[in-house]
Structures are given as C-alpha cells and as structure tokens.
C-alpha cells in the first residue's frame, strides 16, 4: 500500500481563499474589517519570521494586521497595559502573543490576560474549558487544522477509533476533545503508555504530537490508517546540515497507512490558516454575524 499524501499546503491555500471571500462579504455588507493583533517580545529570529508571515497572510485575505514589537526587557506592567488596550479596541478581534517570551515573563499569565473572546490561539483556560464541555469556543489553531484535514479526507469521523500520541495543552488534549466532538472513540497515549505500539495498532486515525523524531514506525499502524503528523523536529543529516522530520517515520508509515501528512507541508501550513479563520470567527461573534461555514469546529 502507498498512502495518499494529505497536502496541507494546498488545503491551507483553499482555506485562505474561503476566508478572503468571507472577509470581503463582511466588509461589503457591514463595513467591518476583521483585525488581528500580534505581539512580539524580543528579537528571536524564528519568531520574527513567523510573525512576518502571519502579518503578510492577514493582509492578503483582506484583514487588518496590527504588529506590536516590544523590547526583550519589557516589564510585565507594560505588556499587560498593551494587552488591556487591545482587549478594549473594537477594531481588534484577535490577539496573540508570539511565544516563546523572555524568562521574566509568564506565558500562562499572558494568555490569561487576553480576552477569551479574542484569544484566537485558543489557549485561554476558558476556551479550553468550553471545548472540553462541548460548548462553543475558540479552538487552538493546530488542533483545528488537524480536524479540518481529517474531515476533508475522511468525511464523517463518527465511530472511528482515534489514538492521539501526546497530552500537551497545546495539541494533544484539544485534538482529543475535537475528535470526541466528531464522535470518535478516542485514546490519549503518550511516551509512558504501556504497550504503546499495540494501542496505536488499533487506530483508524493516528495523531502524533509527542515531539520525538520518527518515533512512530510503519509496523505500529493498522493497514489503511490515516496518520496526522504534528511533529516538527530538526535532525542532523549524515552529509551535514539539518532537515525537518515529524514524529512518525514517514517512509515506513507511508507504506502501511491509507493517508498521511508530510513534514514539512502537512499540518504546519494549517496553523496560520486556522489563526486567520479564528480571527474571522471572533469578529463575527463580536458583531452578531453569521460565522464562516466549515472554518470552525
């Protein structure tokens, strides 16, 4: 068996096209432009590139982009004052602070300071609690991207056995909640799960988000399983330099799976697309407008 490659890059481009159409409709019918504010503290090169890409894609879909760059030694009070200002700005519908931040700042406290209705990263405990209790929330971007890819490839997920490898608040737990919401039977596994290989082998859907390079091999899989690889790991190449790999061994898994996401080019491109989708959703909710179809959980 040769697995179907789930092209996250192409799917994300389609999502952005849908977002652009919905933004144009909101502007034309209501005179409102969705706005996303991104806060960058310090000068981490990778974060700067990521924020730049977010801003570029925000503008490309017709939304307003507000970038706030703060020095690495910014005080908590100064950062919180900015967040409070953005919370009260009616032109800003989504707020995120790019992580990591310098050690003197608390990521948890920063997320808690953001208005849950503008928490387009879906990390606030209120949004996590709403998701866990099956209520309407803003959902973490990467888990939402995983769900969109699965729905697109498989259609109905009802009744399927899903194993999520990883229990982080950022990916593992929200992915499991989303799959439960689509009526999957869900097991959350992790590095300490007894007989992990046997657990994974029962799954129709495998979501790998454990942060260990090439941990899942093809002989762990049920033939025909759908594999969503969330891992992004940089490893050394024999000839020098580095390359990106996921949490699954792509070659061996692609020989057994029915479908698989590559790394890079799978889940990764969906993260910013879902951030934009969450911003449009937050704008619609703030203004009592119809939400975009197919872009929420």
């Amino acid at each position: 068996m040769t697995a179907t490659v789930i092209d996250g890059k192409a799917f994300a481009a389609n999502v952005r096209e849908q977002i652009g159409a919905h933004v144009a409709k909101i502007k034309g019918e209501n005179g409102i432009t969705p706005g996303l504010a991104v806060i960058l503290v310090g000068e981490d090169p990778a974060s700067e590139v990521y924020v730049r890409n977010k801003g570029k894609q925000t503008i490309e879909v017709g939304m307003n982009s507000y970038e706030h760059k703060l020095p690495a030694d910014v005080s908590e009070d100064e950062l919180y004052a900015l967040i409070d200002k953005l919370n009260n700005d009616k032109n800003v519908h989504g707020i995120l602070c790019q992580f990591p931040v310098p050690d003197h700042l608390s990521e948890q406290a920063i997320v808690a300071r953001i208005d849950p209705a503008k928490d387009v990263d879906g990390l606030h405990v209120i949004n996590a609690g709403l998701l866990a209790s099956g209520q309407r929330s803003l959902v973490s971007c990467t888990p939402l991207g995983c769900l969109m890819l699965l729905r697109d490839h498989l259609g109905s997920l009802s009744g399927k056995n899903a194993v999520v490898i990883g229990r982080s608040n950022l990916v593992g737990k929200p992915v499991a909640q989303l799959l439960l919401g689509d009526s999957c039977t869900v097991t959350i596994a992790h590095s300490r799960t007894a007989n992990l290989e046997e657990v994974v082998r029962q799954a129709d859907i495998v979501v790998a988000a454990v942060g260990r390079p090439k941990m899942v091999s093809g002989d762990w899989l049920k033939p025909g399983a759908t594999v969503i690889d969330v891992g992004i790991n940089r490893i050394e190449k024999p000839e020098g330099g580095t390359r990106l790999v996921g949490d699954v061994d792509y070659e061996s898994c692609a020989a057994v799976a029915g479908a698989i996401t590559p790394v890079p080019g799978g889940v990764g491109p969906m993260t910013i697309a879902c951030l934009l989708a969450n911003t449009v959703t937050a704008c619609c909710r703030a203004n009592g407008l119809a939400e975009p179809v197919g872009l929420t959980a």
Side-chain angles (χ1 to χ4, degrees):
M1 179 181 295
T2 300
T4 298
V5 178
I6 299 176
D7 188 341
K9 187 174 181 180
F11 190 82
N14 181 56
V15 169
R16 292 195 301 273
E17 187 176 327
Q18 294 177 60
I19 292 168
H22 204 83
V23 168
K25 181 179 179 182
I26 294 171
K27 286 181 175 180
E29 295 181 359
N30 304 280
I32 298 169
T33 301
L36 172 62
V38 179
I39 302 169
L40 176 63
V41 181
E43 298 180 352
D44 179 75
S47 291
E48 288 182 341
V49 171
Y50 199 48
V51 167
R52 194 179 309 124
N53 287 337
K54 286 175 180 176
K56 181 174 179 286
Q57 293 186 33
T58 300
I59 293 168
E60 284 176 350
V61 298
M63 298 196 297
N64 288 330
S65 175
Y66 308 100
E67 293 184 13
H68 298 270
K69 296 184 178 181
L70 303 177
D73 61 354
V74 67
S75 69
E76 284 186 339
D77 288 344
E78 290 175 285
L79 176 56
Y80 295 163
L82 173 59
I83 293 173
D84 292 344
K85 180 181 177 182
L86 296 174
N87 282 339
N88 292 316
D89 188 339
K90 292 185 178 180
N91 293 315
V92 173
H93 304 97
I95 304 169
L96 70 86
C97 184
Q98 183 66 40
F99 296 144
V101 292
D103 291 341
H104 70 284
L105 300 171
S106 163
E107 293 184 359
Q108 187 174 10
I110 291 168
V111 171
R113 193 81 180 199
I114 296 172
D115 181 349
K118 296 187 178 186
D119 167 40
V120 285
D121 250 350
L123 299 178
H124 198 287
V125 292
I126 288 179
N127 280 318
L130 290 170
L131 175 62
S133 58
Q135 300 182 63
R136 189 178 75 170
S137 66
L138 289 171
V139 178
S140 297
C141 301
T142 299
L144 180 58
C146 293
L147 182 69
M148 286 185 180
L149 292 174
L150 284 167
R151 285 174 172 173
D152 180 69
H153 180 71
L154 294 173
S156 173
L157 307 183
S158 180
K160 296 191 180 298
N161 288 321
V163 171
V164 179
I165 311 174
R167 49 184 167 175
S168 71
N169 292 329
L170 185 63
V171 179
K173 291 175 184 176
V175 162
Q177 296 291 348
L178 290 172
L179 292 172
L180 280 172
D182 269 28
S183 299
C184 291
T185 299
V186 181
T187 300
I188 300 179
H190 43 82
S191 59
R192 296 189 182 183
T193 298
N195 302 315
L196 179 57
E197 298 169 27
E198 288 299 322
V199 172
V200 174
R201 203 168 286 124
Q202 306 307 310
D204 304 305
I205 296 168
V206 178
V207 180
V210 73
R212 293 194 176 186
K214 306 174 82 169
M215 175 179 172
V216 180
S217 62
D219 59 2
W220 290 26
L221 301 179
K222 174 196 287 189
T226 300
V227 179
I228 304 294
D229 190 352
V230 184
I232 301 178
N233 310 286
R234 192 170 292 278
I235 64 170
E236 301 290 330
K237 294 192 291 186
E239 65 274 20
T242 61
R243 67 185 180 99
L244 291 179
V245 299
D247 288 351
V248 309
D249 179 55
Y250 184 82
E251 289 76 16
S252 67
C253 287
V256 180
I260 190 170
T261 58
V263 175
V267 175
M270 291 298 296
T271 300
I272 295 180
C274 289
L275 174 67
L276 303 179
N278 277 348
T279 303
V280 175
T281 297
C283 175
C284 291
R285 291 176 182 175
N287 292 281
L289 305 177
E291 296 177 22
V293 176
L295 299 181
T296 62

